[in-house]
Amino acid sequence: MQNNPGLIFDMTLALLYLTSWREGKGDDAMRRSWKGYDFDILSDLDEQGFIYGSRGSKPVDLTEDGIAKAQGILAALSDGTLDSLEELKSSRLGGSIAPLPRKAYKLSMRLKDVEPRCSRMVYVPADHSFLDLHVIIQELFGWTDQHLYDFSFKDRNGKRRYIREKPLDDGPFGDPFDEVDEPLLAGETSLDAIFGERRTVTYSYDYGDGWEIVVEKREESDNYDSPDPRFYNGQGSAPPEDVGGPGGFERFLAIIEDKDHPEHQDAVEWGEMQGFEYFSPNVICDRLSEWRESKEMHLYDRQMR
């Protein structure tokens, strides 16, 4: 490798692509990756127009030329035996490693106090953490992870316990709920640790708007064949961020469905700006496929706040 700088150059670009995620929507969307590679090679890639942002920022963006070249490199690696780049990625660069069966839960998620009904059903490996589940829920409902969240459940004594990313008293105002018991940590608590003993938990997000999702274990399997979650079913459009809770969402839907309403156009434009989308299984599956990249962004953003 040291005697073949061209190969190192190509492999770095290919790895940047394989570890990238899409950010933004429509014409403003970009493909972004963390720049944890040799700075000299990144500079060369920047100078040749394959990436930009190699100086002064943590992530880099791939240009259209960079994406095309990376796809060409990966296609060559596959020796023509794979039909698509997605197949190449899922097969670990053409390897024939069969996925190991694992335990997973089929979870049903229903957004409370919302009409028409908004629900999602997904398979999630049992060893995933509640931090993973938080990111997965954000992808399923199309939210942008801008607010506080927690999971809660009742223990054997009927006392409500919480799962948080960190204790609330880590903030400048202490614990506003004055909780006596230390919360479980989302990144250190597996789904199996909770759903192994109970059927439901409640996910709360954006305490201002007051969204609550009932997460129910519907069934479990010991033969799940993927390390990632898989969308199974669902219905109903999810509320956009900052719409004003269930009441605000109901009003928003009424306005955008009434073309004669004086606020119709403003509401439609605001909804587009907030990322509102009508229910689409294909869109949800596409977004969920990049949940790991979303988790990296979540951890980075939380660290920078």
Side-chain angles (χ1 to χ4, degrees), residues 143-154:
W143 289 331
T144 54
D145 197 15
Q146 297 299 306
H147 303 281
L148 292 174
Y149 73 93
D150 64 51
F151 295 89
S152 64
F153 61 92
K154 287 186 177 180

Side-chain angles (χ1 to χ4, degrees), residues 4-183:
N4 193 342
L7 179 60
I8 298 175
F9 181 94
D10 286 351
M11 290 300 97
T12 300
L13 181 59
L15 287 170
L16 283 168
Y17 183 83
L18 283 173
T19 57
S20 67
W21 65 91
R22 285 195 301 275
E23 189 169 308
K25 296 182 180 294
D27 295 337
D28 295 327
M30 63 186 70
R31 187 158 284 279
R32 178 164 287 183
S33 181
W34 298 121
K35 60 177 186 182
Y37 302 96
D38 185 277
F39 284 147
D40 290 336
I41 296 176
L42 292 175
S43 294
D44 289 343
L45 288 168
D46 196 332
E47 290 175 2
Q48 295 190 36
F50 295 127
I51 65 172
Y52 58 93
S54 63
R55 301 176 181 85
S57 62
K58 187 174 179 65
V60 296
D61 300 323
L62 281 81
T63 64
E64 291 184 5
D65 288 343
I67 292 171
K69 183 173 177 62
Q71 291 176 345
I73 294 167
L74 294 170
L77 283 174
S78 72
D79 293 327
T81 59
L82 299 172
D83 294 330
S84 70
L85 181 63
E86 289 305 312
E87 186 180 355
L88 175 65
K89 290 171 68 176
S90 65
S91 66
R92 304 181 189 181
L93 294 181
S96 57
I97 303 173
L100 295 174
R102 64 187 67 217
K103 183 177 180 180
Y105 292 118
K106 182 180 182 181
L107 301 177
S108 174
M109 305 176 185
R110 176 176 58 83
L111 190 53
K112 293 177 63 177
D113 303 321
V114 168
E115 292 293 340
R117 182 183 176 95
C118 179
S119 63
R120 304 288 185 262
M121 194 170 289
V122 63
Y123 286 101
V124 185
D127 59 358
H128 279 33
S129 72
F130 275 84
L131 174 57
D132 295 332
L133 184 58
H134 159 67
V135 176
I136 290 166
I137 291 174
Q138 292 288 308
E139 300 299 327
L140 289 171
F141 286 84
W143 289 331
T144 54
D145 197 15
Q146 297 299 306
H147 303 281
L148 292 174
Y149 73 93
D150 64 51
F151 295 89
S152 64
F153 61 92
K154 287 186 177 180
D155 64 18
R156 294 178 179 177
N157 298 318
K159 189 173 183 179
R160 185 156 295 277
R161 297 291 309 277
Y162 290 87
I163 304 172
R164 305 189 191 280
E165 199 159 331
K166 62 181 180 179
L168 288 178
D169 57 10
D170 281 0
F173 304 108
D175 182 352
F177 299 109
D178 194 26
E179 293 170 3
V180 176
D181 296 324
E182 283 289 319

